[in-house]
Amino acid sequence: MEYVPLDPPIQRGFRRSFVLREDVARTARAAFYQAILDKINTVLLHHDRAFTKKLRKKGKKKIPIPQFLKEFDNAQFLRLKLSENEAAQFYLGIASNPRHRQHGEVWKFKEPWRFRLQIRRNMITQQKVENIEVEKRLKEINRIMDDPGISGKIENMKGRPYIAYSWCQPPRAYRTHYNTRQWLQMVETENNP
Protein backbone atom coordinates (compact mmCIF):
# COMPACT_ATOMS: atom_id res chain seq x y z
CA MET A 1 0.00 0.00 0.00
CA GLU A 2 1.56 3.24 -1.11
CA TYR A 3 1.01 6.69 0.31
CA VAL A 4 1.76 10.08 -1.20
CA PRO A 5 2.07 13.35 0.71
CA LEU A 6 -1.10 15.41 0.77
CA ASP A 7 -0.49 19.04 -0.09
CA PRO A 8 -1.95 21.01 1.62
CA PRO A 9 -2.69 18.76 4.65
CA ILE A 10 -6.29 18.76 5.85
CA GLN A 11 -7.79 18.64 9.33
CA ARG A 12 -10.28 15.96 10.25
CA GLY A 13 -11.54 16.51 13.78
CA PHE A 14 -9.45 16.55 16.93
CA ARG A 15 -7.15 14.08 18.69
CA ARG A 16 -6.97 13.73 22.47
CA SER A 17 -4.19 11.80 24.21
CA PHE A 18 -2.16 11.78 27.41
CA VAL A 19 1.11 13.70 27.78
CA LEU A 20 3.48 14.26 30.70
CA ARG A 21 2.61 17.09 33.03
CA GLU A 22 4.99 20.04 32.92
CA ASP A 23 6.34 19.50 36.43
CA VAL A 24 6.97 15.79 35.73
CA ALA A 25 8.65 16.60 32.40
CA ARG A 26 11.21 18.77 34.25
CA THR A 27 12.24 16.02 36.68
CA ALA A 28 15.17 13.62 36.23
CA ARG A 29 12.82 10.66 35.65
CA ALA A 30 10.97 12.27 32.74
CA ALA A 31 12.39 9.80 30.20
CA PHE A 32 11.34 6.88 32.44
CA TYR A 33 7.72 8.05 32.67
CA GLN A 34 7.64 8.91 28.97
CA ALA A 35 8.68 5.32 28.14
CA ILE A 36 5.79 4.02 30.30
CA LEU A 37 3.36 6.49 28.74
CA ASP A 38 4.27 5.29 25.25
CA LYS A 39 3.06 1.82 26.27
CA ILE A 40 -0.15 2.78 28.11
CA ASN A 41 -1.31 5.85 26.20
CA THR A 42 -4.74 5.96 24.52
CA VAL A 43 -5.82 8.20 21.66
CA LEU A 44 -9.38 9.40 21.13
CA LEU A 45 -10.60 11.05 17.92
CA HIS A 46 -13.68 13.29 17.83
CA HIS A 47 -15.24 15.78 15.45
CA ASP A 48 -15.61 18.43 18.17
CA ARG A 49 -12.94 19.98 20.39
CA ALA A 50 -15.22 19.68 23.45
CA PHE A 51 -15.21 15.83 23.33
CA THR A 52 -18.80 15.52 24.52
CA LYS A 53 -21.61 13.14 23.61
CA LYS A 54 -25.36 13.21 24.06
CA LEU A 55 -26.66 11.66 27.24
CA ARG A 56 -29.77 10.39 25.45
CA LYS A 57 -30.50 9.82 21.81
CA LYS A 58 -33.10 12.60 21.50
CA GLY A 59 -32.01 14.84 24.35
CA LYS A 60 -29.99 18.05 24.34
CA LYS A 61 -27.91 17.37 27.43
CA LYS A 62 -24.27 16.53 26.69
CA ILE A 63 -21.73 14.82 28.92
CA PRO A 64 -17.93 14.67 28.55
CA ILE A 65 -16.45 11.51 27.01
CA PRO A 66 -14.19 9.81 29.57
CA GLN A 67 -10.71 8.66 28.64
CA PHE A 68 -8.46 6.38 30.69
CA LEU A 69 -5.01 4.87 30.44
CA LYS A 70 -4.71 1.31 29.14
CA GLU A 71 -5.27 -1.60 31.52
CA PHE A 72 -3.77 -5.02 30.84
CA ASP A 73 -4.72 -8.55 31.75
CA ASN A 74 -1.97 -10.98 32.85
CA ALA A 75 -1.09 -12.21 29.36
CA GLN A 76 -0.91 -8.68 27.90
CA PHE A 77 1.15 -7.49 30.87
CA LEU A 78 3.75 -10.22 30.30
CA ARG A 79 3.90 -9.35 26.59
CA LEU A 80 4.86 -5.74 27.42
CA LYS A 81 8.29 -6.96 28.61
CA LEU A 82 8.65 -4.24 31.22
CA SER A 83 11.77 -3.80 33.31
CA GLU A 84 11.56 -4.33 37.08
CA ASN A 85 11.37 -0.60 37.76
CA GLU A 86 8.60 -0.15 35.19
CA ALA A 87 6.65 -3.19 36.45
CA ALA A 88 6.81 -1.78 39.99
CA GLN A 89 4.71 1.18 38.79
CA PHE A 90 1.68 -1.11 38.22
CA TYR A 91 -0.70 -2.81 40.64
CA LEU A 92 -3.16 -5.66 40.24
CA GLY A 93 -6.71 -4.35 40.45
CA ILE A 94 -10.18 -5.70 39.82
CA ALA A 95 -12.07 -4.61 36.73
CA SER A 96 -15.73 -5.29 36.17
CA ASN A 97 -17.84 -4.80 33.12
CA PRO A 98 -21.44 -5.24 34.27
CA ARG A 99 -22.81 -4.75 30.78
CA HIS A 100 -21.08 -7.93 29.56
CA ARG A 101 -21.04 -9.64 33.00
CA GLN A 102 -17.27 -9.87 32.97
CA HIS A 103 -15.10 -9.53 36.05
CA GLY A 104 -11.38 -10.07 36.25
CA GLU A 105 -7.99 -8.87 37.37
CA VAL A 106 -6.18 -6.17 35.42
CA TRP A 107 -2.87 -4.36 35.82
CA LYS A 108 -3.31 -0.61 36.35
CA PHE A 109 -0.80 2.24 36.51
CA LYS A 110 -0.28 3.45 40.09
CA GLU A 111 0.22 7.17 39.43
CA PRO A 112 -2.07 8.41 36.65
CA TRP A 113 -1.78 11.95 38.04
CA ARG A 114 1.61 12.22 36.30
CA PHE A 115 -0.16 12.62 32.96
CA ARG A 116 -2.68 15.09 31.62
CA LEU A 117 -4.93 15.15 28.58
CA GLN A 118 -3.91 17.22 25.56
CA ILE A 119 -6.16 18.10 22.62
CA ARG A 120 -4.60 18.68 19.20
CA ARG A 121 -5.87 18.99 15.67
CA ASN A 122 -5.95 15.70 13.77
CA MET A 123 -4.07 16.53 10.58
CA ILE A 124 -4.04 14.19 7.60
CA THR A 125 -0.74 14.51 5.75
CA GLN A 126 -0.77 11.39 3.54
CA GLN A 127 -3.15 9.97 0.98
CA LYS A 128 -3.42 6.36 -0.15
CA VAL A 129 -2.66 5.72 -3.80
CA GLU A 130 -5.60 3.81 -5.26
CA ASN A 131 -5.12 1.12 -7.85
CA ILE A 132 -8.50 0.92 -9.58
CA GLU A 133 -8.00 -2.55 -11.02
CA VAL A 134 -6.93 -4.06 -7.69
CA GLU A 135 -9.81 -2.40 -5.83
CA LYS A 136 -12.29 -3.64 -8.44
CA ARG A 137 -10.95 -7.20 -8.13
CA LEU A 138 -11.10 -7.05 -4.31
CA LYS A 139 -14.75 -5.94 -4.46
CA GLU A 140 -15.54 -8.90 -6.71
CA ILE A 141 -13.81 -11.32 -4.33
CA ASN A 142 -15.56 -9.82 -1.29
CA ARG A 143 -18.93 -10.08 -3.04
CA ILE A 144 -18.28 -13.78 -3.75
CA MET A 145 -16.97 -14.50 -0.24
CA ASP A 146 -19.89 -12.78 1.47
CA ASP A 147 -22.42 -14.86 -0.46
CA PRO A 148 -24.55 -16.80 2.07
CA GLY A 149 -24.33 -19.95 -0.01
CA ILE A 150 -20.54 -20.12 0.20
CA SER A 151 -19.92 -18.78 3.72
CA GLY A 152 -20.64 -22.19 5.30
CA LYS A 153 -18.06 -23.85 3.07
CA ILE A 154 -15.49 -21.20 3.95
CA GLU A 155 -16.12 -21.72 7.67
CA ASN A 156 -15.59 -25.46 7.22
CA MET A 157 -12.32 -24.77 5.38
CA LYS A 158 -11.19 -22.69 8.35
CA GLY A 159 -11.92 -25.65 10.61
CA ARG A 160 -15.06 -24.36 12.32
CA PRO A 161 -18.58 -25.61 11.74
CA TYR A 162 -20.91 -23.04 10.27
CA ILE A 163 -23.82 -22.16 12.56
CA ALA A 164 -26.76 -20.76 10.68
CA TYR A 165 -28.80 -19.61 13.67
CA SER A 166 -27.86 -16.49 15.55
CA TRP A 167 -29.31 -17.69 18.86
CA CYS A 168 -26.77 -20.52 19.14
CA GLN A 169 -23.70 -18.62 17.94
CA PRO A 170 -20.94 -17.88 20.45
CA PRO A 171 -20.68 -14.28 21.69
CA ARG A 172 -19.16 -11.84 19.22
CA ALA A 173 -16.00 -11.45 21.34
CA TYR A 174 -15.09 -15.11 20.79
CA ARG A 175 -15.63 -15.15 17.03
CA THR A 176 -12.75 -14.22 14.76
CA HIS A 177 -13.49 -12.49 11.49
CA TYR A 178 -11.02 -12.28 8.66
CA ASN A 179 -11.25 -9.93 5.75
CA THR A 180 -10.49 -11.26 2.29
CA ARG A 181 -6.84 -10.22 2.24
CA GLN A 182 -6.11 -11.88 5.59
CA TRP A 183 -7.90 -15.06 4.59
CA LEU A 184 -6.09 -15.29 1.23
CA GLN A 185 -2.75 -14.75 2.98
CA MET A 186 -3.55 -17.52 5.47
CA VAL A 187 -4.44 -19.92 2.66
CA GLU A 188 -1.26 -19.05 0.74
CA THR A 189 0.96 -19.59 3.80
CA GLU A 190 -0.67 -22.94 4.54
CA ASN A 191 -0.28 -24.12 0.92
CA ASN A 192 3.29 -22.80 0.54
CA PRO A 193 5.23 -23.63 3.75
Side-chain angles (χ1 to χ4, degrees):
M1 201 176 295
E2 294 182 28
Y3 290 91
V4 293
L6 190 63
D7 189 36
I10 59 172
Q11 178 185 352
R12 179 167 287 177
F14 295 89
R15 170 188 297 262
R16 187 171 73 177
S17 62
F18 288 94
V19 293
L20 284 176
R21 283 178 34 180
E22 288 81 8
D23 55 341
V24 177
R26 288 192 297 268
T27 62
R29 300 192 72 189
F32 173 75
Y33 286 113
Q34 184 62 46
I36 292 178
L37 179 61
D38 293 340
K39 296 173 184 174
I40 64 173
N41 202 356
T42 57
V43 177
L44 186 64
L45 300 174
H46 200 261
H47 66 276
D48 186 18
R49 182 180 275 276
F51 282 86
T52 57
K53 64 178 181 179
K54 281 189 174 183
L55 182 61
R56 292 179 185 84
K57 195 173 184 179
K58 294 185 179 180
K60 292 184 179 179
K61 187 174 181 182
K62 293 187 174 184
I63 57 171
I65 300 172
Q67 185 171 352
F68 305 102
L69 294 167
K70 282 184 189 172
E71 298 174 348
F72 306 99
D73 61 11
N74 287 326
Q76 292 171 338
F77 190 71
L78 291 175
R79 264 186 257 132
L80 284 177
K81 296 179 180 174
L82 299 171
S83 65
E84 289 184 14
N85 292 335
E86 290 176 340
Q89 298 294 321
F90 291 85
Y91 71 96
L92 192 61
I94 296 174
S96 64
N97 189 348
R99 183 174 182 179
H100 299 290
R101 297 181 184 176
Q102 293 175 347
H103 308 284
E105 296 178 339
V106 292
W107 290 91
K108 299 180 180 182
F109 186 64
K110 284 182 182 177
E111 302 169 336
W113 59 267
R114 294 189 181 272
F115 312 121
R116 67 175 180 82
L117 286 170
Q118 182 185 48
I119 299 172
R120 284 184 281 173
R121 293 186 293 170
N122 184 31
M123 301 301 291
I124 298 173
T125 58
Q126 292 180 332
Q127 181 180 13
K128 185 170 75 170
V129 177
E130 292 185 4
N131 190 340
I132 297 170
E133 294 175 6
V134 173
E135 295 294 329
K136 184 178 176 182
R137 181 68 180 139
L138 281 173
K139 282 184 181 177
E140 289 175 8
I141 292 171
N142 282 330
R143 185 176 50 80
I144 293 168
M145 301 296 252
D146 293 340
D147 182 21
I150 199 170
S151 57
K153 295 175 185 175
I154 293 171
E155 290 294 321
N156 286 334
M157 286 171 60
K158 289 180 187 175
R160 296 191 302 268
Y162 177 69
I163 302 171
Y165 302 103
S166 61
W167 54 267
C168 60
Q169 284 184 348
R172 198 164 193 74
Y174 301 112
R175 284 186 264 161
T176 53
H177 292 283
Y178 302 102
N179 63 19
T180 306
R181 289 187 187 132
Q182 290 174 336
W183 185 75
L184 289 174
Q185 287 174 354
M186 286 172 32
V187 171
E188 287 176 10
T189 54
E190 289 175 4
N191 293 337
N192 302 325

